[in-house]
Amino acid sequence: MELNEGKNKFIEAWGIFGSEWGINRTMAQIHALLLVSAEPLSTEDIMEELNVSRGNVNMNTRDLITWGIVSRVLKKGERREFFQADKDIYKVAIKIMNERRKRELGPVLETLRELKQVKGNTTEAREFKRVVADISSFGENTDKMIERMVKADENWFTGSLMKFLVK
Amino acid sequence: MELNEGKNKFIEAWGIFGSEWGINRTMAQIHALLLVSAEPLSTEDIMEELNVSRGNVNMNTRDLITWGIVSRVLKKGERREFFQADKDIYKVAIKIMNERRKRELGPVLETLRELKQVKGNTTEAREFKRVVADISSFGENTDKMIERMVKADENWFTGSLMKFLVK
DNA sequence: TTAAACTTTCAAAATATATTGAAAGTTTGT
DNA sequence: ACAAACTTTCAATATATTTTGAAAGTTTAA
């Protein structure tokens, strides 16, 4: 397979994978394109490569930046901005997990904490509280686990954790 | 908070959380409703509780069944089927992870394996293959990790793993 | 064998999400 | 201060996904 065909296949695969996990296709594709580009790309480069509009590229690059996995870079002598993806996949994975932890897991955990306060001592109420407490405890542990991953260094992640889990 | 209000809040929260993770809202809500119901529910019960159509309930309950986290039950003397969710949240989480592994991770890993065969020995081609190999290795490890979780017993999950990660 | 009780299907409609692109806004160099 | 070069915004449009509900299909009991 040729390099260019490979890049296109990667962009396509990453786009599908992203959309299966609630990330919009273009955002995932821009991320993929930047991951496999040797050089940082401009808005125009991305527009051309993926056939999407300027507005779309602007929105999604900004979004990728707020996720902390893409950064703006300046080339000397150039007025416009270029974009570049962090190519360390462990850092990327941890940043994504951590952002989703904060944005999506956080609110659920808060709701679950409230729900443990439901009144009543009937069988039904106790059963409800048991289910909620189980889910809550599972969620809190997942939350702490991701927090620890963020603090740990890459070596811990690839070394100790992977050994513990996979070997 | 009263039990009923609590149940509704839980159903709402679970629906939002699900849709953020690429699971349709009704499916997540049906799952939530079954999780907090003391008794198995019929199609009609679910239609009424969530205000959705018969077709929608039918599609989504069948989908939940293929995920392995909801089962049909029969009540004696009753003609129709009732639905019941597995309330062991660890089992549920592992089943969901494992299904997503098979359905979504699998195809990506296959593509990545192909992409490692890209021709060329230029700096650009080597850089591409390095990025692909990194992502591939991360993905394969995640895949193996989930496979091990499936095989392990609940105690390993709640005990050893959580201790290793969180404590 | 019939019909009532129930489940499933799927084309059409509704809803939600993503994308466009032109206009407005901003920055920079002269 | 100006205008060229660039970025951002957002209402309109397009696309994708979900939901509906009536009709078709199936099962059961008498």
Side-chain angles (χ1 to χ4, degrees), chain B residues 75-90:
Chain B
K75 285 190 184 174
K76 57 184 171 186
E78 284 270 15
R79 173 93 178 263
R80 68 218 145 122
E81 299 170 329
F82 290 77
F83 301 97
Q84 168 178 265
D86 184 347
K87 298 198 180 183
D88 181 332
I89 200 65
Y90 295 100

Side-chain angles (χ1 to χ4, degrees), chain A:
Chain A
M1 195 186 313
E2 299 298 330
L3 178 58
N4 249 34
E5 191 193 346
K7 285 189 176 182
N8 289 335
K9 281 207 175 163
F10 178 72
I11 291 165
E12 192 191 327
W14 211 237
I16 292 169
F17 190 62
S19 62
E20 285 166 343
W21 287 83
I23 284 153
N24 96 50
R25 214 184 64 241
T26 304
M27 181 166 150
Q29 286 184 335
I30 292 175
H31 184 229
L33 174 61
L34 294 173
L35 272 177
V36 297
S37 290
E39 294 296 311
L41 302 180
S42 69
T43 298
E44 301 250 350
D45 294 334
I46 299 169
M47 285 167 67
E48 200 165 311
E49 202 71 47
L50 303 179
N51 276 291
V52 290
S53 70
R54 183 176 301 283
N56 198 357
V57 172
N58 184 264
M59 275 191 135
N60 286 117
T61 48
R62 287 193 315 121
D63 228 348
L64 285 164
I65 289 166
T66 71
W67 280 77
I69 59 179
V70 161
S71 50
R72 293 178 208 271
V73 294
L74 296 171
K75 285 189 185 176
K76 57 184 168 185
E78 285 270 17
R79 174 92 178 264
R80 67 218 146 120
E81 299 171 328
F82 290 77
F83 302 97
Q84 170 178 259
D86 184 347
K87 298 197 181 185
D88 182 333
I89 200 66
Y90 294 100
K91 285 191 193 156
V92 171
I94 286 174
K95 277 185 182 164
I96 292 173
M97 284 192 270
N98 197 41
E99 278 299 308
R100 300 198 80 155
R101 177 186 73 81
K102 287 192 280 184
R103 295 180 194 196
E104 295 147 16
L105 193 54
V108 174
L109 293 180
E110 206 162 315
T111 301
L112 290 170
R113 280 191 283 265
E114 280 176 47
L115 292 179
K116 286 195 281 189
Q117 313 300 323
V118 154
K119 280 186 266 173
N121 203 19
T122 56
T123 310
E124 210 192 346
R126 277 191 280 113
E127 165 74 356
F128 173 80
K129 283 188 271 191
R130 205 196 45 112
V131 170
V132 166
D134 278 1
I135 295 174
S136 180
S137 136
F138 183 76
E140 299 282 359
N141 280 154
T142 304
D143 194 63
K144 281 186 226 142
M145 181 178 100
I146 297 169
E147 271 184 337
R148 171 156 176 195
M149 284 179 173
V150 174
K151 283 180 202 147
D153 59 17
E154 187 187 325
N155 184 57
W156 176 82
F157 196 72
T158 58
S160 318
L161 176 61
M162 281 302 178
K163 259 181 211 135
F164 185 74
L165 291 171
V166 200
K167 296 295 157 48

Side-chain angles (χ1 to χ4, degrees), chain B residues 90-156:
Chain B
Y90 295 100
K91 285 191 193 158
V92 171
I94 286 174
K95 277 185 182 164
I96 291 173
M97 285 192 267
N98 197 41
E99 279 300 308
R100 301 198 80 156
R101 177 184 75 79
K102 287 192 279 183
R103 294 181 194 196
E104 294 148 16
L105 193 54
V108 174
L109 293 180
E110 207 162 315
T111 302
L112 291 170
R113 280 190 284 264
E114 282 176 46
L115 292 178
K116 285 194 281 189
Q117 312 300 322
V118 154
K119 280 187 264 173
N121 202 22
T122 57
T123 309
E124 211 193 346
R126 276 191 280 112
E127 165 74 356
F128 174 80
K129 283 188 272 191
R130 206 199 43 116
V131 170
V132 167
D134 278 2
I135 295 174
S136 180
S137 136
F138 183 77
E140 299 282 359
N141 280 154
T142 304
D143 195 63
K144 282 185 225 140
M145 180 179 101
I146 297 170
E147 271 185 337
R148 172 156 176 194
M149 283 178 175
V150 174
K151 283 179 201 147
D153 59 16
E154 187 187 327
N155 184 57
W156 177 82

